[in-house]
Each structure stands twice: as C-alpha cells, then as structure tokens.
Amino acid sequence: MPPSPPVTASLFFTCMADALYPNVAMAAATVLERFGVTVRVPPAQTCCGQPAFNSGHRKEARKMAAGFLRAFDGEGYIVTPSGSCAVMVKEMYPVLFRNEPRMLDLACAVGERVYELSQFLVDVLGVTDPKSAFKGKVTLHDSCHLLRGLGVREQPRTLLRAIPGVELVEMEQSDRCCGFGGVFSVKNPLVSCAMVDKKIERILATGAQYVASGDLGCLMNIGGAVSRSGYPVKPIHLAEILAGPPADGNAP
Amino acid sequence: MIPRCHDFTRNVARALSNRNLQSAISRTTDRFLSHRDAAVRSFPGDFEAAREAASQLKLSVLRDLDVHLSRFIEEAERRGASVHVAHDAAEAREIAVRIAQEEGVKLAVKSKSMATEEIALNEALESAGVEAVETDLGEYIIQLAHEAPSHLIAPAVHKTREEVSQLFVDRLGEPYTEEIPELVAIARRHLRDKFLSAGMGISGANFLVAETGSIAIVSNEANARMVTTLPRVHLAVASIEKVIPKLSDLPAMLRLLTRSATGQPISSYVSVLTGVRRPGDLEGPSKLHILLVDNGRSAILKGKYREILKCLRCGACLNICPVYQTIGGHAYGWVYPGPMGSVLSPLLLGLREASALPDASTLCGACADVCPVKIPLPDLLLELRGDARAQGHRTPGEVAGMKGFAAMMGRAGLLEAFERIAGVVSQLLCKDGKIPWLPFGLSGWTDRRDFPAPAVQPFRKLWKIKRGIAPWNR
C-alpha cells in the first residue's frame, strides 16, 4: 500500500541501463509509480564512476562521482535498479573522498538516501505483493554487490514469491560470482568466461526459463554467454519481472 | 621461489588448459568450504564475536609489534633458543644456511612452511650442499614434481590422485596404485629414513607466543612433530607478524584457524614448543634456532595495508574465491595465492612485478566474508589498484580510455551526443541486436560472449518521449 504522505524518489537509472537496457530503467520507474511513488529523473546524471574506481583510476572516478553528487544533491530517496551502483555511491564514495571533508559530507548525505529497487520496495514501502503479472519458472542469481555490499538477500525473493505466476527455483551456489566484476571481465576474459560457464551450468540445472538478478552487469555477462551459445534460459532484470512481461527492445 | 606474477595472463592460460587442475581444485575447496560451514554452524558460542575478537587481538599486536617481538625473543632465549632476525629474504637464507653449516647438517627434514617458501630456503640449502626434504604429504608430492605449493594448507590441491600415483611410479619407482592408504604408506616408508637420519628439522610456526617464547604449530600428519622433536637441531622460520601476546590467546586463535582452514574444530596435532631439551626430557632438539623474517613487513605495518598482516594463513579466502577455484594457486605466480596473496605479493614484491594480481578479483567480497580475522580484502585490492595507476602500472591505452570515458561522462549532454553516435555506429557491428566483436582492448569480452547493442533510444531520451519533460527535468 502506498504510504502517506506520497513518496518522491529520484531514479538513478545507471549508465548501463541508459545506454544498453533502457527498458530496465523504465520498468523500475513503472514499479515505483505503481506503488504511488512520484518518480523524478535527474537529467544531469551519467555514470557513478564505478568502472574507473574499480580499476584504480581514482582521479577520473572522483570527477564522475562529483558529477553524480551534483546531479542528486537535494532531498528524498534515490532508487536504482542496481546493487552494484548503489554500493559504489554508499560505500565507495566515502573512500574516494576521504581526504576532502566537504565532498565527504556531501557523499555521505547522498549515500544515505540511496536504495536498491527491491530493498526500497520491501524495506521502505513495505511492499509484500508487487502486483505483477509475470509467468514463468525463475531462478535468482544473487549479485555480489547487492548481497554482500548491501546485505540484500531476502527482498528480491520475497517479491518474486508473491507473484502468482512465478515459480522461484533456487540454483546451487546462487551467491557465487558470475565472473563479471566490471573491468575484471575485460582484463581477465578467460577466467571470466570459465566462471560464467560454471554459473550457467548451475542455472540450467534448475530448468528455469529465466535467470533474474538485481544487477545488469551480471545479466550482461550471463546474457552474453547465453546468447553466444544459445542456452535455453533468458536473463531478465528483477525490475522487468516486477513490472510485468517485458515489452520490446533489449533484453539482457 | 622466483616470482612469476608478471606472467599472470600466461599462467592463467596454462591453468585453464589443464582440466584436471580445475576439477581437482573445485572438488577439494568445495569440501573444505562445506566443512567450514558446518564448523561455523556448530561453533560453541558466537562465531562473529570470535572473529571480531581475533581481529582486534591481531590489530593490537600489530600496533605494538616491536614490543611483542622483543618479549618473544627474550623469553625464547631465556629457554635456550637462539633467535635471529632477518630483514630480507637474502639475509634469511644466509642465516639459515650458516646455521646448517655450523651444525654440520647434510640432510634436513622440513614441515610445511610458507615463510621458507617466501625466502626460497630449499634452493639455498641445496646450493650449499644440504638436502632439504619436505615431509608434509602434499608438500612431499610437489617436491617430487619439482613444483611449488598452490595452496596455503593443501599444497598439492591441484593434483588428482591419478597424477600423484604416476608421480610415485616415476620418481620413487613404486608400483602404480590409486589407493590413498597405499600412497600414504609409500610416502611414509620413504620419509621414515629421512626423519631418522636428518641432522636438522625445519618448521614454520603458526603462532609465536611472546609470553613464553613458544612456537605453536598445527598439523594433521604429525610430521611437524617428527621434524621438531627428532633431529638434534630445530630451525623454526616464521614471519614477524605471527606473534601473539599470551599462551591464553592461543586457543581463541586456533579454533578460528582450523575451522576456517579445513572445518576442523581443532587439527589432529597441535604442538606448542618451548625452548630446547632440558635435562630429563625424553625428546626434543638440543639446539633450537628461531629465524624471524621481516622481509618488508615493517614497512607494510606503517601504511594503509597493515591489516593484511592479520592473516592466519588459513586458506579460507582461497577456498571461497571463484577466481582461485578456476585458475589454482600457481597462476598467481608466487608463494601466496588467492585473495590474500593478491594483496600480500604486490606488497612484498612490488607492483612492478605483481600489478596484475590485484586485478585478479571480481571484488565479489566472498573472501572478506570468510576471513576469520576480518581482513577487508576487497578494500585492500581496490587500494592496490589505485596505487597501480598512481605508480604508472597501467597501460597507456587503459589510462587514455578511462580519461576519455570520464570526459564523456562529465556532462550529460556530451554523453547524449555520444549515445546517438554509438547507436548508429553499433548498427554496423550489430547482428540481431548483439555485438559479436568488440575492438581494441575489449576484444577478449566478445571471444566467447556477445555484447548487447546500444539502445536506439537511450533511457534519458525514452523518458522524455514517454513521460514528457516534467518541470524538475529541465
């Protein structure tokens, strides 16, 4: 039930969803609006700086982080369909700005407002029924950052189980990294591919039609291997399941 | 051991072409992990609180390391030990070789020690004419194979039973058998002579107890016990951060160490060795040398990587690491593999040698979750990546690429323009909405994976079209 007074949330749609999977960001907005949230889309946002930070390019990361903080300065919740990007802002910005007290304060203030989508729906809005019309056998890949960075494990499962058409089947070691790791998958493609192969093996063993996750990075990685090898499973973002069946355009 | 960290990519390719290695490693590490999980569940008391306490204890030791070391040296010498301090690996080798020569040792039996691997002691002893035989079964196997350990506690984890069987045929002239008890019996038979004729025993140390000058060693094969009590001379080699203040601190550390390593509440053997053989003692060495190895640790202690020195060498971070499970320990190119090694090796060897190691992690964080002393391994890896860039250990292409990326992301308008261009250009590379081949440094991504084509209409544009431009979006 929508809490009162009405909630406003800024959508942190992530550069990845923007450029590659706009439907995922749209789905996130749709779900939020379904629960009475007024969705704002700060237009100045670009990338949170995670790729630069994770590969050690701190100067460049600080530049992007500063841009993010400007774009989201203000009040109210910030919601994102990405565990990874949420962790970047909440946990890594303070590291990035540890020697700049003013920026550090701003980073902490903005970071406190950031929520991953399923976390926001369950923990803040108290959603127990996502009112989605999705049908299919779904297995959930726990993205590392969502799980270990934000401690979000049950929220996506709670939501998925509440959808009448969804049959949630757990895979072995759903919390084992898929091998994406951002720059890792570029710098160590051989290892990354060997890791995603193992992940796909466990996904296929469930017989699920869909593998869902709260992070587009994982889905791009798994999806890239699935697409190349033609495995019978479809990667899908949690937001798309929550919003209902995907309409058109890019699927991970 | 000569570092080969700079060859990381080649090491990985070699490891991935060895299917035996991958299945052998996943099998063993998965077993260790499930035992660990069970041991954590049945832990008497609050496991998290025990981790926190151990972490705090190690931190407090590191804060006053010199005080604890002085105490250790004083107490050990009071009980008849000779304590030596080596500032680097070369000095450590010199001291160890000199001891062997002064004691007239021709044969030394060893029990597994990462510190002796770090200072390349076996090679040094060999060139000085001293035979050094590893007596830990796994370590014995890899010594026969002329390899280095690939795991902190399971040095031969990368070998299948069949490979070991064949090795015993080739090197020991024994008949082929895949029965593990028979393999153990063969090794035992060959090692027995060595134990009885060795002039010196060389061990590592899991802990150095400052209060009593004792060395604590955990093992499951009793070989450590033989090594440290049978020969006339005992040389214990340990890095300086292994010290703990009191004997009463030991149980708390041991119960975390063995549970994290193999899932055992306690290892089969725990030796607490104090001083030399006294009149009336039935066993024990008449000479005890303790070699404390610094080798760069004093410098680490002063900086932002201090917490890596809390490491107990339990191997839990290796076992859980999906990268380690895939490539094994040798790929890391030096003594210390996995997440802890990816932090420690660059610190001990320098980023010039080992800048690839901090990148050999997806930062999934599983290692930090299992570390019994709560070392923030992903954070340390991230710091090292930052240092690698700052010290110039990044390819010009990567630096230029990242600068370009940051510039493009500097302004939404610029990004939007780029997205428009990318949408058009990608149509050329595109096949059914997928990009099967990426250029430049990105081609590895698409060797076995497709990349998604950029959206024709990025979200920011889609939003404007579908939802209109609200006042707050201007």
Side-chain angles (χ1 to χ4, degrees):
Chain A
M1 279 300 100
S4 49
V7 173
T8 300
S10 299
L11 183 67
F12 163 19
F13 52 74
T14 81
C15 59
M16 202 166 176
D18 182 32
L20 302 174
Y21 306 105
N23 282 347
V24 170
M26 199 52 90
T30 305
V31 176
L32 289 170
E33 284 173 344
R34 184 183 298 160
F35 291 96
V37 176
T38 306
V39 178
R40 298 177 176 210
V41 180
Q45 61 179 304
T46 60
C47 165
C48 65
Q50 186 175 201
F53 177 73
N54 278 4
S55 43
H57 304 271
R58 298 207 165 178
K59 213 175 86 189
E60 287 76 9
R62 265 193 290 275
K63 193 173 156 187
M64 287 184 259
F68 181 93
L69 293 174
R70 270 196 304 276
F72 284 93
D73 193 11
E75 284 178 3
Y77 298 106
I78 300 167
V79 181
T80 181
S82 165
S84 183
C85 304
V87 167
M88 178 65 196
V89 176
K90 289 175 84 72
E91 306 293 328
M92 299 305 161
Y93 278 15
V95 176
L96 211 44
F97 294 115
R98 65 189 163 200
N99 298 323
E100 297 170 57
R102 251 193 47 239
M103 290 302 284
L104 182 61
D105 287 348
L106 179 58
C108 291
V110 172
E112 268 176 37
R113 294 158 48 209
V114 172
Y115 289 82
E116 181 274 334
L117 179 67
S118 72
Q119 183 188 33
F120 182 75
L121 290 173
V122 175
D123 297 352
V124 177
L125 298 186
V127 171
T128 49
D129 175 7
K131 305 191 197 323
S132 164
F134 196 86
K135 235 180 124 50
K137 200 168 168 182
V138 179
T139 191
L140 184 74
H141 162 66
D142 285 294
S143 91
C144 298
H145 279 136
L146 187 52
L147 179 67
R148 299 189 190 90
L150 296 181
V152 172
R153 193 194 131 77
E154 286 312 312
Q155 293 87 329
R157 289 179 169 79
T158 303
L159 295 171
L160 285 174
R161 284 201 197 97
I163 303 171
V166 169
E167 185 194 347
L168 180 63
V169 282
E170 294 285 353
M171 70 175 99
E172 291 278 318
Q173 300 187 324
S174 65
D175 62 348
R176 189 58 64 87
C177 179
C178 71
F180 177 60
V183 286
F184 175 85
S185 62
V186 175
K187 288 192 176 185
N188 295 290
L190 291 175
V191 192
S192 175
C193 285
M195 286 165 69
V196 80
D197 284 348
K198 277 194 208 173
K199 175 56 73 177
I200 291 174
E201 231 172 79
R202 295 182 201 118
I203 293 168
L204 295 178
T206 64
Q209 298 154 269
Y210 298 92
V211 51
S213 177
D215 257 302
L216 275 173
C218 314
L219 292 172
M220 180 171 84
N221 186 41
I222 296 167
V226 162
S227 149
R228 180 65 60 92
S229 305
Y231 294 119
V233 66
K234 191 172 150 47
I236 186 167
H237 194 281
L238 191 64
E240 293 177 288
I241 297 184
L242 297 176
D248 49 3
N250 259 15
Chain B
M1 181 175 179
I2 300 164
R4 290 254 164 257
C5 312
H6 59 277
D7 268 343
F8 182 73
T9 310
R10 214 174 311 167
N11 301 343
V12 163
R14 196 175 308 136
L16 289 179
S17 66
N18 183 348
R19 295 200 75 81
N20 271 349
L21 172 140
Q22 286 165 67
S23 64
I25 291 178
S26 326
R27 207 168 36 236
T28 313
T29 51
D30 277 343
R31 196 178 66 233
F32 282 157
L33 286 173
S34 67
H35 290 177
R36 179 202 170 269
D37 288 349
V40 168
R41 276 197 302 276
S42 65
F43 187 75
D46 184 344
F47 189 75
E48 281 311 304
R51 279 176 84 203
E52 182 57 33
S55 168
Q56 289 304 328
L57 176 75
K58 286 295 269 188
L59 278 178
S60 79
V61 169
L62 293 176
R63 266 195 295 275
D64 297 310
L65 191 62
D66 48 349
V67 174
H68 297 292
L69 280 175
S70 308
R71 177 86 197 274
F72 174 79
I73 293 170
E74 195 179 307
E75 297 298 334
E77 288 185 334
R78 190 206 302 275
R79 289 163 179 84
S82 311
V83 184
H84 315 261
V85 180
H87 295 98
D88 56 26
E91 192 182 357
R93 285 193 294 268
E94 272 167 42
I95 293 169
V97 168
R98 194 178 66 231
I99 292 169
Q101 284 168 339
E102 281 171 6
E103 302 287 355
V105 173
K106 289 277 158 258
L107 171 67
V109 279
K110 285 187 70 199
S111 119
K112 184 167 178 0
S113 148
M114 299 310 288
T116 64
E117 294 288 340
E118 179 184 321
I119 63 171
L121 182 58
N122 287 5
E123 293 88 332
L125 287 172
E126 203 177 312
S127 1
V130 181
E131 187 192 358
V133 179
E134 296 290 347
T135 65
D136 175 287
L137 180 59
E139 197 83 0
Y140 180 61
I141 289 166
I142 59 164
Q143 192 177 34
L144 286 179
H146 303 299
E147 289 177 20
S150 71
H151 189 285
L152 297 173
I153 57 152
V157 67
H158 56 287
K159 290 219 174 296
T160 60
R161 186 193 310 187
E162 294 75 17
E163 286 171 327
V164 174
S165 307
Q166 193 54 49
L167 195 65
F168 281 13
V169 174
D170 297 342
R171 295 285 153 83
L172 301 176
E174 295 284 347
Y176 188 89
T177 171
E178 288 182 11
E179 294 303 312
I180 285 175
E182 284 180 40
L183 290 169
V184 173
I186 291 170
R188 188 171 281 177
R189 211 166 52 240
H190 282 265
L191 288 171
R192 187 157 296 156
D193 290 342
K194 304 286 185 188
F195 277 126
L196 292 171
S197 48
M200 182 159 83
I202 302 173
S203 76
N206 292 96
F207 299 97
L208 304 166
V209 184
E211 178 186 39
T212 56
S214 310
I215 296 155
I217 301 175
V218 298
S219 86
N220 278 320
E221 297 175 19
N223 60 318
R225 205 161 263 202
M226 309 272 265
V227 161
T228 55
T229 54
L230 271 176
R232 188 175 52 80
V233 183
H234 173 201
L235 168 63
V237 185
S239 47
I240 54 172
E241 77 275 20
K242 294 294 185 75
V243 68
I244 54 172
K246 294 194 197 124
L247 204 54
S248 58
D249 296 323
L250 191 57
M253 302 311 278
L254 284 179
R255 63 184 194 161
L256 283 177
L257 169 62
T258 58
R259 280 179 173 84
S260 303
T262 52
Q264 293 168 287
I266 188 86
S267 55
S268 306
Y269 301 91
V270 176
S271 304
V272 181
L273 306 157
T274 311
V276 292
R277 181 197 293 231
R278 293 160 304 182
D281 279 358
L282 293 175
E283 56 181 25
S286 49
K287 282 277 188 68
L288 170 60
H289 293 275
I290 301 170
L291 175 53
L292 300 176
V293 180
D294 185 318
N295 202 25
R297 287 168 174 80
S298 294
I300 297 175
L301 205 56
K302 294 189 192 109
K304 57 185 174 179
Y305 298 106
R306 182 193 296 132
E307 289 206 56
I308 192 60
L309 296 181
K310 295 195 292 187
C311 179
L312 305 182
R313 311 284 189 269
C314 69
C317 66
L318 279 58
N319 296 337
I320 197 106
C321 177
V323 176
Y324 176 89
Q325 279 209 333
T326 308
I327 62 176
H330 287 160
Y332 293 83
W334 199 48
V335 183
Y336 301 107
M340 60 75 63
S342 296
V343 175
L344 193 55
S345 299
L347 294 174
L348 296 180
L349 300 169
L351 277 165
R352 177 185 294 277
E353 169 65 34
S355 68
L357 298 187
D359 288 335
S361 163
T362 63
L363 304 173
C364 78
C367 51
D369 276 3
V370 296
C371 178
V373 286
K374 300 176 91 168
I375 301 172
L377 290 157
D379 296 347
L380 299 182
L381 291 169
L382 277 164
E383 285 296 330
L384 280 163
R385 293 179 186 189
D387 285 0
R389 161 71 196 265
Q391 293 172 24
H393 302 294
R394 285 286 183 254
T395 63
E398 183 185 324
V399 173
M402 209 45 90
K403 281 184 175 164
F405 182 66
M408 180 179 79
M409 293 295 175
R411 275 180 48 204
L414 209 57
L415 173 61
E416 224 168 322
F418 179 83
E419 282 173 343
R420 255 199 305 277
I421 300 165
V424 176
V425 173
S426 69
Q427 298 305 315
L428 304 171
L429 292 167
C430 210
K431 225 175 76 185
D432 308 328
K434 308 283 177 190
I435 300 178
W437 178 81
L438 285 172
F440 311 119
L442 305 173
S443 60
W445 217 93
T446 43
D447 276 350
R448 286 178 49 210
R449 283 171 297 208
D450 290 329
F451 195 81
V456 179
Q457 282 182 336
F459 174 72
R460 60 179 77 245
K461 195 169 173 202
L462 209 58
W463 183 260
K464 276 184 201 163
I465 295 168
K466 291 202 176 172
R467 305 298 170 94
I469 303 172
W472 52 76
N473 283 339
R474 287 219 178 91

